[in-house]
Amino acid sequence: MAGLINNLLILLLVFQNSCSGFRNPLPVFKRYKDTTRSLSSECLGNNRPVISLGLTDFALDIRMPGVTPKQSDTYLCMSLHLPVDEEAYVVDFRPQASMDTVHHMLLFGCNVPSSTENYWDCDEGTCTDKSNILYAWARNAPPTRLPKGVGFKVGGETGSKYFVLQVHYGDVSAFRDKHKDCSGVTLHLTHQRQPLIAGMYLMMSVNTVIPPGEKVVDADIACHYQKYPMHLFAYRVHTHRLGKVVSGYRVRNGQWTLIGRQSPQLPQAFYPVEHPVDISFGDTLAARCLFTGEGRTMETHIGGTASDEMCNFYIMYYMEAKHAVSYMTCTQNINPDMFRNIPQEANIPIPVKSDMIMMTHGHHHEETKKTDDSFSLKQPKREEEEVLDQDFHIEEAVDWPGVNLKLGQVSGLALDPKNNLVIFHRGDHVWDGNSFDSSFVYQQRGLGPIEQNTILVIDPSNADILDSTGKNLFYLPHGLSIDKDGNYWVTDVALHQVFKLGVHDKEPLLILGRSLQPGSDKNHFCQPTDVAVDPVTGNIYVSDGYCNSRIVVFSPNGMFTMQWGEETSVGKAKPGQFRIPHSLTLVPEFGQLCVADRENGRIQCFRSETGEFTREIKHKLFGRELFAVSYIPGGLLFAVNGMPYPGDIVQGFVMNFSTGEIIDTFIPVRKSFEMPHDVVASEDKTVYIGDAYAKTVWKFTSTEKMEHRSVKKAGIEVQEIKAETVIEARLKNKPVSTESQKKWEKHHIVEQASPGISFVLITTLLIIPIVVLLAIAVFIRWRKTRVYGADADHKLESSSGRILGRLQGKGSGGLNLGNFFASHKSYSRKGFDRLSTEGSDQEKDEDDGTDSEEEYSAPPPPPVSSSS
């Protein structure tokens, strides 16, 4: 009978082990809860650091235990033991912090934290053994998403047993009220084995010196890669205030492939790698940080204090589990000469809107709006305007061949009804200082009209020339627009005329103005700049021009109806005053006409029927000149400024028409803007810009922004139904709506259906014989008790103890950057003894007050004539 009992016990153990894959971790969590540290009552959710998310998943809430830092640039650390012994995989991170109080956070994985206290000063270190960076956050960055099937391995025999959170409190003025901070990060972990293991590759400059006042300073990093293949899926950049752009590349056989490029002044998230990049044995990883020393009076070194700088390029990668390496670093430059061939984009700062800079520094945009922007007579917001899609970014279509077209000075652009691009250019004629006399009479009539076709119809996809016209008609082309019927409307500043041309007509259909005769009455123009035709009324609007300051309106058949505008008076320009009305765009949805008031550096809008002034849009980022403007249905306004003055950046702008706010800025990657002269945009947010001096046309397209949502790029997926609402509500002790709860539960049940069936089947098959055996055992024990007495109990316990003993007895150094920098022969700065790869940009010097305007600009080209 002892053998029967032994078999019963073995069956029970087999049943336990067979169900381990479905084991709910709650018993482990309950055991762990008994040893949980005491936390501040102000830290909602911290009294439950472990939350079950089902049979195999759980969330781990890692938070500061209610701390109040006493001084700026304080680094505090805390640790949390992994609540399970077996392997687990981190598959999601969710930051629980705000830039208002926290400068940045780093999450390490290790086995021996530097302290056993609830929290400690990070000057003592983070870990005493090897540590790996698992996550980094700063500047109100959004959550990081890992690709499906990828996770950071922790626990088990080889993974980290502890998480150590390091929080850098830059400016402690937010703690004047003595409140307690509970910042941290929530992890989503799973016991399901992940086929791909994530890791972190950190590229970091350690000896860069930025001279005071130096406009451009490069910090270059490069290392050979000599391990198994890794696949890159996300990147993150980090500098302090002087950093303008950080770029990372793979170099293979002399070819540079972009990993990621971003401004460190934007939210410092892990951004998805746009196009999949793999790294193989023998490749070189290279990165460049672009700095400026302008505004500094002393040398700036690499370090962790408020006045120091940093140059970090983080790469998240994954490898096959059998070859996985969790952490790698590169701190040298093995081949400085190779950076002579780095793509030009790495040397071009990414413009950052002043409101974005203020946001990332923890300020409210409203506080700076009065000094940054100028709006007048704002219109009430319509309901549809409140949900205007602003979740995109404009970037050059670098594979578009149109940038290589052989053109003259490009003066005008438009889109025809088929959405083909139409270019108006000057062929072999050039507008220079000898073109006109003091009375604005054209002086080069002896050259004759332009012999080349001045109007080119371009295929928007491949830049093939589909059609051309305009030969021997024009002297100095300027503005171009196309009406709803496909007719071309153009201006010629030498002829002082406006022309209507049919697509296939050899002679103009309508001519306004007198040939080669400047004037300012109803029948004359003086260097007219642009023309627009109302699609509903057919009215013709002419901006006139370089030597007049007015908008002239004609009926569809060319009869004068009205005009408005005057020359700008001394002092601040008033509404309705112009200093070269240079470009026009109609806003049919609002019944308005907007004018690029070039030399006043602003946009003015008027009611198209009456000429009544409605609003002005003016931003400091425009600089002194604004050359062109274009509107697309849906409420977006595009513009481009002109020749650079010291401190100005020549760039394109995207604005919300209703509010006037700048949504985005953009510049080309190939070539550079010299005098961008016209802009046109299509409803799909494709933008074209023509440059009179560069004789070039660029194409820009819209891409989804990644600052505030996860996207389906490079394996980073969007999930339509998630448990995040339920999880986050639990972590914050907030109620969850019944509808959300039901959706989550339904989704969770569907996902668990297959293993659930197996679990029920196994349970049923095993329980039936076990119940029978238990009944037999109870009966036998009852009989033995009657026959042998109490001795039987002792023998039974002894026998079963030996069986359990045999079955269960067998079953059951980090990156210290403080020391690294301290020992580095070229680094002797005091103040980087703390363990951090990132420092503060809460500067205390005098230039702190102008951070929102701190923008790098390349040296301006030599002065040229502004007439064009």
Side-chain angles (χ1 to χ4, degrees), residues 461-486:
S461 59
N462 56 26
D464 287 346
I465 298 177
L466 304 177
D467 198 3
S468 59
T469 188
K471 182 186 298 184
N472 295 318
L473 284 176
F474 307 110
Y475 286 82
L476 281 180
H478 200 276
L480 166 69
S481 66
I482 300 176
D483 63 26
K484 64 178 182 179
D485 298 319

Side-chain angles (χ1 to χ4, degrees), residues 620-640:
K620 287 185 177 181
L621 287 180
F622 287 172
R624 300 189 189 182
E625 298 180 346
L626 190 81
F627 267 60
V629 63
S630 176
Y631 176 84
I632 65 171
L636 292 179
L637 198 63
F638 297 81
V640 64

